Amino acid sequence: MKQKKTVTAVYPGSFDPITYGHLDIIRRAREIFGTIVVAISRNTAKTPMFSLEERKILIVQSLKEHSMTQDVHVETFSGLLADYLKQRGLTVVIRGLRFLSDFEYEFQMALMNRRLYPKMETVYLMPDEQHIYLSSSIVKEIAMNGKNPREFAPPCVTKALLKQAQLKNEK
Ligand code: COA
């Protein structure tokens, strides 16, 4: 008998923009959890290329392009992740773990989040090794330097990045 998946998990990030690495994590999470909420937030340490609304549109389109819309919702939030989870009545967070260097930050964040909201649990998933070196900044940099980033990001994201690169060149 197939086990029924009921838990809803939140996958937070700035997703500026979403890449194949993020999609890989969502794909893996869907195998485990009933519903995934991709929760886009502002990382106060970063200056984004795309607005929250643009990032949301790109994630929804990317999910469509890869037939992954079922049981995946996309939302934006502001403020603390712990407060967002409390408000939504959710307790499980998914994070991707790429390198050992991710671990220290993730460990600190998971423990602080749990302090802020004791019911919160963070589950770590490892991306496929072909995506391990990806980050949104690297993909943006590739596009801004005139190379097509289609190997690293879904078609709609590639299109949006190339448009940004063209606008930059016209300035
Ligand atoms: N594939 C590809 N890239 C990945 C990836 C994966 N599987 N996992 C992470 N990355 C990339 C991201 O794109 C990001 O790239 P960038 O730095 O070039 O933008 C980088 O790795 C870091 O990712 P992440 O650690 O998820 O940072 P983020 O900025 O995307 O998200 C938040 C951080 C939004 C989850 C975090 O700041 C947050 O929770 N903010 C709300 C406030 C809060 O509660 N703070 C914590 C208090 S304890």
Side-chain angles (χ1 to χ4, degrees):
M1 198 176 77
K2 206 171 174 197
Q3 210 180 341
K4 198 163 183 284
K5 297 175 272 186
T6 51
V7 175
T8 296
V10 174
Y11 181 33
S14 45
F15 304 104
D16 184 46
I18 187 164
T19 69
Y20 280 140
H22 297 120
L23 276 184
D24 179 63
I25 296 290
I26 297 169
R27 191 174 288 118
R28 286 168 198 281
R30 281 173 85 217
E31 296 293 322
I32 305 169
F33 299 101
T35 306
I36 310 299
V37 179
V38 181
I40 316 161
S41 167
R42 209 168 268 123
N43 182 333
T44 46
K46 295 177 184 172
T47 308
M49 174 180 276
F50 298 102
S51 69
L52 280 180
E53 207 40 51
E54 286 169 330
R55 284 182 255 164
K56 184 174 174 182
I57 291 168
L58 288 175
I59 296 175
V60 171
Q61 282 180 352
S62 300
L63 292 169
K64 278 190 192 147
E65 284 171 352
H66 293 84
S67 307
M68 287 171 62
T69 50
Q70 202 184 341
D71 302 324
V72 184
H73 304 290
V74 187
E75 295 183 2
T76 59
F77 75 99
S78 54
L80 292 174
L81 178 62
D83 289 340
Y84 167 73
L85 259 85
K86 271 187 218 170
Q87 279 158 17
R88 295 282 278 98
L90 300 172
T91 55
V92 178
V93 166
I94 299 158
R95 297 283 292 165
L97 206 53
R98 294 163 301 165
F99 313 102
L100 196 59
S101 54
D102 278 349
F103 179 77
E104 215 170 312
Y105 170 68
E106 291 299 332
F107 191 58
Q108 184 186 22
M109 203 161 82
L111 292 182
M112 178 51 89
N113 277 326
R114 201 195 272 162
R115 175 104 188 235
L116 295 168
Y117 181 28
K119 285 186 184 166
M120 184 165 159
E121 287 298 345
T122 309
V123 175
Y124 294 95
L125 297 176
M126 285 177 212
D128 189 287
E129 53 197 61
Q130 65 171 314
H131 302 307
I132 221 126
Y133 53 88
L134 276 187
S135 75
S136 298
S137 302
I138 284 184
V139 176
K140 280 185 277 195
E141 204 173 321
I142 288 166
M144 290 304 125
N145 284 289
K147 189 163 165 45
N148 191 314
R150 64 171 170 258
E151 276 176 68
F152 313 111
C156 62
V157 174
T158 298
K159 200 171 151 197
L161 285 171
L162 292 176
K163 195 171 158 196
Q164 287 290 328
Q166 196 186 347
L167 288 174
K168 191 187 122 196
N169 286 337
E170 282 168 7
K171 275 187 193 162

